Amino acid sequence: MKKTITIAGAGPSGLTAAINLAKAGYDVEVYEKNKTAGGRFKNSFQILENYTEEEELFPALYRMNIEINFFLQPLMKIEFYDHKLNLYNMKSLKPFGYLVRRGNAENTIDSGLTKQALDAGARIHYNEKIDLEKADIA
């Protein structure tokens, strides 16, 4: 009998955990309080930073069993403004970060990771919170 793992939240961390645990043979149940993964975002952008880590993002995602089935754009040039609104243009050979889309639309990180979690065998329960009275919490 497979051990059931319960995950609170269908954000990128919860879905990444679901993908890896399902691929490792666990029975995975994800509970998301909202009606969709990424539902609180309206096709907005976020940056996955890359400049403070020694490991590049692509090998890290590969190591985490994440396929790139979502919008992911490297940022090689960035404009910074100081408190006096002075502009500073910066360029780098290594991406500062990667731009991703958030939300429940096609090509967002949320929809991409949801598809990967479901394909791996995880089950996602929307509009539901974990019932702490019934949960087996270690």
Side-chain angles (χ1 to χ4, degrees):
M1 182 169 170
K2 289 185 188 178
K3 178 162 177 64
T4 299
I5 305 292
T6 302
I7 298 173
S13 296
L15 291 170
T16 298
I19 291 163
N20 282 281
L21 289 164
K23 285 183 175 183
Y26 290 95
D27 182 34
V28 179
E29 302 277 343
V30 179
Y31 288 84
E32 172 55 48
K33 68 179 180 177
N34 296 309
K35 64 182 178 181
T36 64
R40 68 185 182 103
F41 299 97
K42 304 297 181 212
N43 201 24
S44 58
F45 290 102
Q46 284 188 343
I47 296 173
L48 301 177
E49 71 95 357
N50 190 61
Y51 57 89
T52 61
E53 299 294 330
E54 289 185 32
E55 184 178 26
E56 284 286 327
L57 183 67
F58 282 103
L61 291 174
Y62 178 76
R63 187 176 42 75
M64 290 183 267
N65 294 312
I66 301 300
E67 299 170 27
I68 309 302
N69 65 343
F70 47 87
F71 176 84
L72 186 71
Q73 178 68 44
L75 299 173
M76 309 297 280
K77 298 186 287 184
I78 297 181
E79 294 181 348
F80 290 102
Y81 293 87
D82 66 16
H83 67 287
K84 294 182 179 181
L85 296 180
N86 295 311
L87 172 63
Y88 300 91
N89 288 303
M90 301 183 90
K91 296 180 184 178
S92 175
L93 297 175
K94 174 183 172 181
F96 290 106
Y98 290 83
L99 197 62
V100 294
R101 287 191 183 276
R102 295 295 309 271
N104 58 4
E106 190 175 327
N107 291 323
T108 63
I109 191 170
D110 304 283
S111 63
L113 292 177
T114 296
K115 181 180 183 328
Q116 291 179 54
L118 293 171
D119 288 350
R123 288 179 303 285
I124 304 173
H125 306 276
Y126 294 108
N127 290 320
E128 280 190 58
K129 292 182 182 180
I130 296 172
D131 184 347
L132 295 177
E133 296 294 322
K134 296 179 183 175
D136 179 16
I137 299 174

